[in-house]
Amino acid sequence: MHALFERNFYHNQDVAKALINVDNSECQAEVSNVIMQLKQNVVLSADKKQYHRNKVVLKQHFSGCDAGSKIQNHEVTINLAESNQTYHNHNHPDIKPLDKDEQTLAEFIQPTTNGKLVNIQYSLEVKCTMGGVYCISDEPNSIISMFLQPPWLPSHGQLQAPEGWQPTVYDQVKINFPEQIYDPSHPGNSKDGKDKKDKKDKKDKKDKKDKKDKKVKKSKKEKKSKKSKNSDSDSGSSGSDSGSSSGSNHESKGKVIFISSNYTI
């Protein structure tokens, strides 16, 4: 069995649809009927305790097929509005009466919620009920998770303007965007285009970092060279000072020696 569901999200007054294919050509038992149903899973949490409830809130039966036959592209539907809830609005002094929006929510099946205290999830299932005796553990089925949207509330779009409110109304402006913005083949909108852009950004970032590292290394090298030159200059100055000191020592001893090619005095 195979089912192709129309979509996985609905309002609580929509009609859910699916196309089913059932291949019973090699089976000796008939498919007595096809069932489409909406399942609800509720988890309520409070004071470290939880309440769980799994329930089929809506079910619809359709005719099956005989042994050795098939069902191809057969549409099955289920009207979600038929899963109306029953709410008992008792006149109790401790219970605040429901307003219009709350009454609207209470009339229909509750929407999907993902809260920590109240969590409600739905699934849509199509399955085959087999006739006679068959040796399979589970009945053939197809199932998807479904998101149930809340209904439109009576107060939606009804705003009360404050006294003396005089808004300024401007003319409408229509802006035509270039078609390439929405073109899937545009490099900026395709996966390949995004990959190329990411690679280019990474390369530019790496080149920028390498350039910065080279600049830092060059600066360090220049500082080191300058420091070395200053050190050599200080050494030469010290040597000349030593020579002057030696000359003064000879003069203090009174010994002056002149050397020529012919004679010595």
Side-chain angles (χ1 to χ4, degrees):
M1 176 194 172
H2 174 73
L4 179 63
F5 295 90
E6 179 188 30
R7 59 180 189 267
N8 64 347
F9 65 94
Y10 290 95
H11 284 284
N12 52 14
Q13 299 181 54
D14 288 342
V15 176
K17 302 177 181 179
L19 289 176
I20 62 170
N21 293 285
V22 180
D23 187 357
N24 201 38
S25 59
E26 298 183 4
C27 186
Q28 297 180 359
E30 67 173 358
V31 176
S32 55
N33 54 55
V34 177
I35 299 175
M36 188 176 187
Q37 58 188 12
L38 178 66
K39 292 182 176 181
Q40 181 190 63
N41 180 28
V42 179
V43 179
L44 304 179
S45 304
D47 296 332
K48 297 183 179 180
K49 297 180 180 179
Q50 287 189 336
Y51 166 78
H52 295 263
R53 186 186 72 185
N54 293 313
K55 182 182 178 182
V56 176
V57 294
L58 190 61
K59 182 185 292 188
Q60 189 72 37
H61 292 79
F62 303 91
S63 59
C65 62
D66 297 330
S69 63
K70 296 181 180 181
I71 298 176
Q72 292 184 335
N73 295 329
H74 180 65
E75 184 181 73
V76 291
T77 61
I78 191 169
N79 188 359
L80 302 180
E82 295 178 356
S83 60
N84 292 351
Q85 299 182 145
T86 302
Y87 172 76
H88 302 287
N89 192 2
H90 298 292
N91 294 324
H92 195 279
D94 295 335
I95 299 178
K96 181 182 177 181
L98 299 180
D99 58 25
K100 290 183 178 180
D101 289 347
E102 291 172 335
Q103 289 178 4
T104 301
L105 288 172
E107 286 178 3
F108 300 96
I109 186 172
Q110 295 300 297
T112 298
T113 61
N114 296 310
K116 292 183 178 179
L117 301 180
V118 179
N119 189 289
I120 304 176
Q121 304 296 326
Y122 291 94
S123 59
L124 199 59
E125 181 184 27
V126 177
K127 68 176 184 177
C128 295
T129 301
M130 306 298 295
V133 180
Y134 51 90
C135 298
I136 54 176
S137 57
D138 297 317
E139 294 176 327
N141 72 329
S142 292
I143 186 169
I144 61 167
S145 298
M146 191 188 78
F147 185 89
L148 195 62
Q149 298 177 345
W152 294 105
L153 301 178
S155 64
H156 179 74
Q158 298 180 6
L159 301 177
Q160 185 67 33
E163 295 183 4
W165 187 53
Q166 297 179 353
T168 302
V169 180
Y170 295 93
D171 295 334
Q172 293 184 355
V173 177
K174 184 178 180 181
I175 301 175
N176 295 322
F177 291 98
E179 293 183 358
Q180 60 266 25
I181 293 179
Y182 309 102
D183 185 5
S185 62
H186 191 269
N189 297 330
S190 63
K191 186 177 184 301
D192 293 338
K194 291 181 180 178
D195 292 341
K196 289 180 180 179
K197 186 177 182 300
D198 292 341
K199 288 181 180 179
K200 185 177 182 300
D201 292 341
K202 289 181 179 179
K203 186 178 181 300
D204 293 342
K205 189 175 180 180
K206 185 178 181 300
D207 293 343
K208 188 176 180 180
K209 185 177 181 300
D210 293 343
K211 188 176 180 181
K212 185 178 179 180
D213 293 341
K214 287 181 180 179
K215 189 175 180 181
V216 171
K217 288 181 180 179
K218 184 178 179 182
S219 178
K220 288 182 178 179
K221 189 175 181 181
E222 290 177 351
K223 287 182 180 179
K224 188 176 180 181
S225 176
K226 187 176 180 181
K227 187 176 180 181
S228 177
K229 288 181 180 180
N230 291 337
S231 177
D232 294 342
S233 176
D234 292 342
S235 298
S237 174
S238 175
S240 62
D241 292 343
S242 176
S244 299
S245 175
S246 176
S248 62
N249 288 337
H250 289 299
E251 290 176 2
S252 63
K253 291 179 181 179
K255 295 180 181 180
V256 180
I257 299 173
F258 295 93
I259 301 173
S260 67
S261 58
N262 297 323
Y263 55 88
T264 300
I265 298 178

